[in-house]
Amino acid sequence: MWRSVCCAMQGSGHKKSGVPCQDKTFRLDKNGVHVIALSDGAGSARLSHFGAERVVRAAAELVADRFAQYQECEDAEAVRQEILSVLRHELAEEAEKHSCEMHDLACTLLLAAVSGERFLLVHIGDGVIGYLDGDTLKVASVPDNGEFANETTFVTSDKAAETMRLFKGELRDKAAFVLMSDGTEHSLYHKPSRALADILTDVIQRACLIRADVLQRQLADTFASVVCPRTQDDCSIAILARPGKALRIVDQLSVEERRRLYHIQRARAHTARRIRRYDAMLVLLEQPHSLRQIAVKIHLNPRYTKQRLGQLEQLGLIEQANGWYQKA
């Protein structure tokens, strides 16, 4: 039931200076464990994008393999030390690969993992970890910026073990987790009040409605036009969510919410009928159908039926293969 989506965009400052995007994200489903991870490479570290890429993958694999043991272990310090030891070993190999020092790969780490009815969060450095508790957005872990706003802790820092935050427990009403880098903070996190922007609830809801690749493209467009222009830094986000009481599936949405989801203009003629047709298509496509079968069942010309199907496919609500359509 868990769905995830990630997006990382190069900041305008890095575009101007020719520095590659140093934010990296990763999502993994393995052993019944669902993981999202995000890392922000240090701006002062020349190869931090390689370090961030290595860290998100290694951390996700480690937590997916060791989730049950970490949940059972009552020694939080031992868990922190093991995670840090593995990540530093990975960075040592990456440093050897690039003939550089480990500090050249300095980066942060934010991670959220769920399995069954349990969760695990890991946080080293700046960035924010939030979650949806019922229908309320809350902050699980605030940025670690030390004494100064532009300072933080990295996986390679001497104080990484003592500053690493580790949270675990029962999910209960938690329906989603969100990770964001400090670049994204400028738009989606209010530091004085330690509050997340309400728009995140809508983004999380969409993660439960449409395919990850489609939402990722939508996020990239939004970041490029709204989020990235507000900062010189790279911007990234990772979301892990599951449909339920708080996050509804399509047939639980109001008529107005479905109109917006289907991108039907309010002023269009026969708006209600158009919404009902899209609804009917999604019900039909719980099982594979051909274009002709769909057109017959919804009483619409095949030409117009194909147009409607194309819209649903573009939105990531259905998929098509070899002439057969099915709900995504």
Side-chain angles (χ1 to χ4, degrees):
M1 292 292 289
W2 287 92
R3 307 183 71 170
S4 58
V5 63
C6 300
C7 178
M9 300 283 290
Q10 185 184 29
S12 57
H14 286 175
K15 284 183 180 179
K16 291 177 183 177
S17 58
V19 175
C21 182
Q22 295 171 318
D23 279 12
K24 301 297 177 181
T25 57
F26 188 64
R27 55 194 182 105
L28 177 68
D29 296 330
K30 182 182 179 183
N31 304 328
V33 183
H34 309 276
V35 189
I36 52 171
L38 182 153
S39 180
D40 182 356
S44 59
R46 63 187 182 90
L47 298 177
S48 64
H49 52 293
F50 291 119
E53 183 72 36
R54 185 78 176 234
V55 160
V56 290
R57 292 176 179 272
E61 289 282 354
L62 173 64
V63 170
D65 289 339
R66 299 279 290 162
F67 186 89
Q69 290 89 331
Y70 290 162
Q71 288 292 332
E72 295 169 3
C73 182
E74 296 182 0
D75 187 349
E77 178 60 25
V79 175
R80 285 194 289 267
Q81 289 290 351
E82 179 174 292
I83 292 173
L84 195 59
S85 175
V86 170
L87 296 183
R88 285 180 170 172
H89 175 76
E90 294 283 337
L91 286 178
E93 289 188 349
E94 194 71 14
E96 184 176 354
K97 177 180 173 182
H98 295 284
S99 301
C100 67
E101 300 296 326
M102 270 183 55
H103 62 75
D104 293 321
L105 304 169
C107 57
T108 66
L109 172 65
L110 297 86
L111 179 145
V114 298
S115 181
E117 288 300 314
R118 306 286 295 182
F119 75 91
L120 176 71
L121 307 177
V122 180
H123 192 180
I124 302 173
D126 55 19
V128 178
I129 300 180
Y131 64 101
L132 190 65
D133 189 16
D135 58 0
T136 304
L137 279 172
K138 297 182 179 180
V139 174
S141 188
V142 300
D144 174 14
N145 289 119
E147 186 177 352
F148 302 102
N150 62 345
E151 288 184 351
T152 193
T153 305
F154 300 110
V155 175
T156 53
S157 300
D158 292 337
K159 294 184 177 181
E162 63 184 82
T163 60
M164 180 194 298
R165 298 171 189 159
L166 185 69
F167 308 89
K168 61 181 180 178
E170 296 181 2
L171 285 168
R172 297 180 182 174
D173 292 330
K174 297 176 184 66
F177 294 92
V178 57
L179 318 175
M180 65 179 74
S181 65
D182 62 341
T184 306
E185 281 179 42
H186 290 282
S187 297
L188 300 178
Y189 174 68
H190 187 245
K191 189 170 287 188
S193 63
R194 296 188 173 187
L196 296 169
D198 291 338
I199 189 64
L200 274 173
T201 302
D202 293 334
V203 177
I204 292 169
Q205 172 70 76
R206 293 188 72 81
C208 294
L209 295 174
I210 64 179
R211 277 204 326 266
D213 61 321
V214 176
L215 181 55
Q216 185 173 6
R217 289 197 297 271
Q218 294 177 358
L219 282 173
D221 290 341
T222 301
F223 269 48
S225 61
V226 179
V227 178
C228 292
R230 300 185 64 179
T231 177
Q232 295 287 303
D233 204 356
D234 298 331
C235 299
S236 58
I237 192 169
I239 296 168
L240 182 63
R242 63 172 173 179
K245 294 179 181 179
L247 300 174
R248 297 159 294 161
I249 56 178
V250 174
D251 58 5
Q252 295 173 324
L253 300 178
S254 69
V255 172
E256 175 60 18
E257 288 171 326
R258 296 204 303 280
R259 182 193 66 77
R260 294 199 304 268
L261 175 65
Y262 299 146
H263 289 189
I264 299 173
Q265 295 178 16
R266 193 192 303 274
R268 292 290 293 270
H270 312 299
T271 295
R273 187 169 67 185
R274 284 173 177 265
I275 293 171
R276 288 196 298 271
R277 277 219 168 104
Y278 280 129
D279 290 344
M281 286 180 176
L282 292 178
V283 171
L284 277 177
L285 296 181
E286 293 289 348
Q287 300 296 327
H289 282 72
S290 67
L291 171 62
R292 182 177 178 81
Q293 289 173 335
I294 299 165
V296 168
K297 291 186 178 182
I298 67 172
H299 309 291
L300 187 65
N301 183 292
R303 174 187 170 188
Y304 298 116
T305 301
K306 189 172 183 179
Q307 290 177 357
R308 305 290 188 274
L309 290 169
Q311 176 71 358
L312 291 178
E313 189 174 5
Q314 187 176 7
L315 291 171
L317 294 169
I318 68 170
E319 52 194 6
Q320 184 262 138
N322 301 320
W324 292 90
Y325 295 86
Q326 187 171 10
K327 198 170 180 179

